[in-house]
Amino acid sequence: MQNELKKVEIRLLHNLDLLKKDIEKRFFEIDKVLVNHNTQLEILRENISQCACHDFHFVEIEHWKKQEEMFVETPAVIKILQCLESEHTVLIVGEPGIGKSMLMHHVALKIHSTTSYCIVPCSGIQDIFNHYNIDKRQMFVIDDICGRFTPSLFDIECLIKNEDTLKRMLEKGKTKIAATCRLDIYFDETYCKSCTVFKQSIFNLSEEYSKGGKLKICMKYLSKTSCELLKNQNVEFTPLMCYLYSKHEEFNLTEFLHCPYDAYEKEWEKLKAIHPLKYCSLFLCVIQNGIIKESFFDIFNKRNNKKKDVLKNIYEICEVNRNTSRIKMKSTFDSMIGTYLVKTKVEYRVIHDKMFDFLCSYFGSKDTLVRCILRYSDIRLLNERTQLESINEKHDKCTILISRSNEQEYFERIKNDLELGKINQCFCSSQMKHKKHRAKFLKVLQTIDDNFLFEQMFSRKCLQYTSKHTENVDAEPNIEVNEDSSDAEDNSDNSDLSEPLITSCSRGYHDIVHFFFTKYVNLKNYYSFYTPLTAACRGGNEKIVQLLIDKGWM
């Protein structure tokens, strides 16, 4: 009996030993898996850190990666990469459609893949300060620095004020800034004064690309026959125009390149008759300043329901059934991807700023639609794209001219925006540089209650007006206003930048400055480091400097 018990004990001990070894083995395997997972998690965290700071950045970078399929390597890539090895900044300038953005995005992705620099897509100068990290190697990437169509007063003031800070950040050696700029904005006098940070490394793509270089890129989009035609004919072209032609090969290539707007005008007139919903969709793109958020099509979005009458009015103006659903409209937008639009995870965009120029020119030439633009459009569209016909000033051919018959409606919109507290935004109009426009604007400003105007200007509750993609009170136009943001406060030091008095002193608007000092006294208490006197001095406006000194600003 004892022998049997002994045998059982031995077997149990043996089994226990086997079980122990098996458990140890399994724990070892689990430990290896956990270590592997932790390693992958660290890699993922590092990749997240290197790629971007926010979901918005992920969306942008994913969009750039998709564009890589259409990118053609040229000697310009090597030159810019070599430049960024020794310099902290690079500014790529060129005519619209030459390929500035795709080139810059390709360079940024290449630097990220070969170095420890993380990419930070920026919608404006202010984003650099919002996302700057002294301990990280960062490459800030800005498309259309200081404006897409006209110089952005906010970004220019931001550059001027923060020039020394930017230089100190760059001197630390961990930060690089790559930016693009349209040639017409680059040569603008106001821009030249502000952009000293990029003086060392400016890359003019329009001069860099020879006809052969552009043809090499265009071979990606065009047939051999079309490329031979371009090679043998004396016709100006850009990679963008060739890409757009590839989506409309029913056009005559030579005629299209000679005058693309005429070709699109005929196309859109046909679209109005054959497919009014597409026509309406393109007009909505203009109303929304070239960007339609996907949330716009969400039937359960309460903000959409609040503005459904506005959308119905737009439908009616475009001769579309007023009861057309947002779902049907979304399907129409999807059908235009690749020809007129591109889509990211969160929004639809007009395929290129040049295409948006054409759309603004086309819809802006129709009086009925101009009235709709005045009533419902994003305020940034009004600021950047419109001009009063009555002031008789030089303007771009894609500018939306406001006729004398629509002028009253234009200023009613301005007054409405002022009364909604959009003081800073109203002062950011590109027309403010014209004295005749300021005279008309001042008449509207004088109708606003003095106390309300003062409170909006100096209470720090006015949201800053920034360029494409910044979340603010005007991030959605009148169709879909972000009402929650209207109460937000901005206590940052840069909140002075778009403030009307600062802008007026910097830009030399003596009449506006005089208006404020006639209305208000003791304004010195509302400014700290960057004062109206600082702005006037930096802008070289001696008359305003003297006025401020006379008012005790010393």
Side-chain angles (χ1 to χ4, degrees):
M1 186 70 178
Q2 286 184 346
N3 289 336
E4 289 296 322
L5 288 173
K6 190 69 174 177
K7 288 179 182 179
V8 170
E9 183 183 2
I10 291 171
R11 281 200 303 271
L12 286 173
L13 288 172
H14 177 70
N15 289 338
L16 188 63
D17 188 53
L18 290 175
L19 181 62
K20 183 179 177 182
K21 288 180 179 179
D22 186 58
I23 290 172
E24 287 177 351
K25 182 181 178 181
R26 288 180 181 274
F27 269 113
F28 180 74
E29 289 173 351
I30 291 170
D31 192 50
K32 280 178 65 178
V33 170
L34 287 174
V35 169
N36 186 43
H37 284 177
N38 284 333
T39 303
Q40 290 179 350
L41 186 61
E42 287 302 315
I43 292 171
L44 182 60
R45 283 173 177 163
E46 181 65 21
N47 287 338
I48 291 171
S49 171
Q50 289 185 353
C51 284
C53 302
H54 295 293
D55 289 344
F56 161 71
H57 297 144
F58 280 116
V59 171
E60 281 295 292
I61 292 168
E62 283 303 311
H63 179 58
W64 298 355
K65 288 177 179 178
K66 287 181 181 178
Q67 287 181 324
E68 286 285 280
E69 298 171 7
M70 302 303 294
F71 186 78
V72 178
E73 194 92 10
T74 65
V77 174
I78 297 172
K79 290 182 180 180
I80 293 174
L81 286 171
Q82 288 174 343
C83 172
L84 284 170
E85 284 180 7
S86 56
E87 301 290 342
H88 300 304
T89 64
V90 66
L91 180 65
I92 304 172
V93 302
E95 63 197 278
I98 195 69
K100 304 181 295 294
S101 297
M102 282 190 75
L103 174 61
M104 181 180 68
H105 298 161
H106 176 77
V107 167
L109 290 171
K110 202 147 193 169
I111 287 177
H112 169 63
S113 66
T114 56
T115 69
S116 58
Y117 277 89
C118 65
I119 306 171
V120 185
C122 300
S123 59
I125 299 297
Q126 187 60 42
D127 282 355
I128 296 177
F129 302 101
N130 292 341
H131 301 301
Y132 175 69
N133 187 324
I134 195 170
D135 297 320
K136 288 185 179 179
R137 293 185 179 274
Q138 294 172 297
M139 182 174 180
F140 296 99
V141 182
I142 311 175
D143 265 322
D144 296 315
I145 190 171
C146 293
R148 289 169 56 197
F149 183 67
T150 55
S152 163
L153 295 180
F154 176 84
D155 281 337
I156 287 173
E157 295 298 334
C158 192
L159 266 176
I160 291 172
K161 178 185 175 183
N162 294 292
E163 179 183 2
D164 294 336
T165 305
L166 274 174
K167 287 178 178 177
R168 286 194 296 271
M169 287 163 57
L170 293 170
E171 284 169 2
K172 292 185 179 295
K174 289 187 176 182
T175 304
K176 294 187 185 294
I177 304 173
T180 66
C181 182
R182 287 170 64 148
L183 267 181
D184 51 342
I185 291 179
Y186 173 69
F187 287 122
D188 188 275
E189 182 183 356
T190 56
Y191 176 83
C192 291
K193 288 181 181 179
S194 65
C195 210
T196 59
V197 173
F198 295 97
K199 290 290 185 186
Q200 300 299 320
S201 48
I202 297 170
F203 196 85
N204 190 332
L205 210 54
S206 294
E207 293 178 355
E208 172 67 23
Y209 281 163
S210 63
K211 185 174 183 178
K214 288 190 286 186
L215 271 172
K216 181 182 177 182
I217 299 172
C218 293
M219 287 173 67
K220 187 85 174 179
Y221 318 122
L222 301 179
S223 65
K224 287 185 178 180
T225 305
S226 296
C227 288
E228 282 297 318
L229 186 65
L230 289 180
K231 185 178 179 180
N232 297 326
Q233 288 194 4
N234 185 25
V235 58
E236 290 295 321
F237 64 94
T238 63
L240 172 71
M241 287 298 106
C242 292
Y243 170 77
L244 293 177
Y245 169 77
S246 72
K247 300 297 180 180
H248 296 272
E249 291 191 344
E250 69 275 13
F251 294 160
N252 177 285
L253 178 58
T254 307
E255 290 178 2
F256 177 73
L257 293 176
H258 179 68
C259 194
Y261 174 74
D262 287 352
Y264 280 120
E265 184 179 32
K266 293 174 185 176
E267 176 79 4
W268 294 332
E269 286 298 325
K270 290 179 186 176
L271 209 59
K272 183 180 179 182
I274 298 170
H275 204 315
L277 197 53
K278 278 190 177 180
Y279 182 87
C280 184
S281 299
L282 292 175
F283 182 52
L284 269 173
C285 289
V286 173
I287 292 285
Q288 300 260 44
N289 201 31
I291 297 174
I292 305 274
K293 290 192 175 181
E294 195 161 33
S295 60
F296 174 80
F297 303 103
D298 184 359
I299 60 174
F300 299 109
N301 189 319
K302 292 181 180 179
R303 287 182 294 174
N304 289 341
N305 292 330
K306 291 179 182 178
K307 294 293 179 179
K308 61 183 178 182
D309 288 340
V310 172
L311 188 58
K312 286 184 177 183
N313 289 344
I314 294 172
Y315 283 159
E316 186 167 332
I317 289 168
C318 294
E319 300 180 17
V320 171
N321 188 322
R322 284 177 65 92
N323 295 317
T324 300
S325 70
R326 290 178 185 260
I327 294 173
K328 190 172 183 180
M329 179 63 80
K330 185 179 184 301
S331 297
T332 304
F333 269 74
D334 288 334
S335 71
M336 296 193 294
I337 293 172
T339 51
Y340 296 115
L341 305 173
V342 292
K343 186 177 184 295
T344 67
K345 290 181 180 178
V346 295
E347 64 192 18
Y348 297 84
R349 304 177 192 172
V350 174
I351 199 165
H352 193 275
D353 284 346
K354 192 64 181 174
M355 177 65 78
F356 192 59
D357 288 347
F358 295 153
L359 288 169
C360 288
S361 182
Y362 174 75
F363 289 109
S365 67
K366 301 184 179 300
D367 192 64
T368 306
L369 299 182
V370 168
R371 291 188 65 194
C372 190
I373 289 170
L374 293 178
R375 284 174 179 254
Y376 304 132
S377 71
D378 187 315
I379 191 172
R380 287 167 292 191
L381 183 81
L382 293 184
N383 284 346
E384 297 171 4
R385 298 274 179 171
T386 62
Q387 184 168 305
L388 299 178
E389 190 177 46
S390 64
I391 65 176
N392 294 318
E393 293 286 352
K394 185 179 177 182
H395 58 83
D396 188 274
K397 61 184 178 181
C398 296
T399 299
I400 299 173
L401 283 180
I402 309 301
S403 65
R404 286 174 171 81
S405 61
N406 286 328
E407 198 167 297
Q408 182 178 349
E409 192 150 5
Y410 170 82
F411 282 111
E412 284 177 2
R413 165 66 190 270
I414 297 300
K415 183 178 180 180
N416 181 57
D417 285 338
L418 288 169
E419 289 174 342
L420 287 172
K422 302 176 185 179
I423 312 295
N424 295 352
Q425 293 94 319
C426 289
F427 273 83
C428 285
S429 170
S430 61
Q431 294 192 77
M432 291 294 284
K433 63 187 176 186
H434 302 306
K435 190 173 182 179
K436 290 180 182 177
H437 178 270
R438 292 201 303 274
K440 294 173 183 284
F441 178 80
L442 274 171
K443 289 181 181 179
V444 177
L445 202 60
Q446 287 165 351
T447 66
I448 306 299
D449 180 76
D450 290 349
N451 293 329
F452 174 79
L453 186 62
F454 183 86
E455 181 185 345
Q456 291 299 316
M457 284 177 57
F458 300 109
S459 67
R460 303 296 187 194
K461 290 183 179 178
C462 287
L463 293 181
Q464 296 177 29
Y465 171 74
T466 58
S467 55
K468 43 189 173 155
H469 309 305
T470 304
E471 294 294 333
N472 57 34
V473 72
D474 290 302
E476 298 290 346
N478 286 1
I479 294 176
E480 186 182 351
V481 177
N482 186 350
E483 295 170 348
D484 294 334
S485 64
S486 59
D487 296 326
E489 292 194 26
D490 185 357
N491 296 314
S492 68
D493 192 43
N494 284 316
S495 59
D496 285 340
L497 284 173
S498 59
E499 187 274 309
L501 185 54
I502 290 286
T503 299
S504 301
C505 290
S506 175
R507 305 298 305 127
Y509 304 154
H510 187 273
D511 43 4
I512 302 288
V513 176
H514 184 265
F515 167 81
F516 284 129
F517 279 105
T518 302
K519 288 279 185 184
Y520 310 115
V521 294
N522 300 324
L523 294 178
K524 291 178 71 173
N525 296 333
Y526 295 92
Y527 296 91
S528 52
F529 169 70
Y530 199 73
T531 67
L533 183 60
T534 308
C537 290
R538 289 206 171 191
N541 301 305
E542 295 180 10
K543 192 175 180 181
I544 294 178
V545 169
Q546 189 59 54
L547 172 64
L548 292 168
I549 291 173
D550 293 342
K551 295 289 183 180
W553 287 75
M554 281 297 289

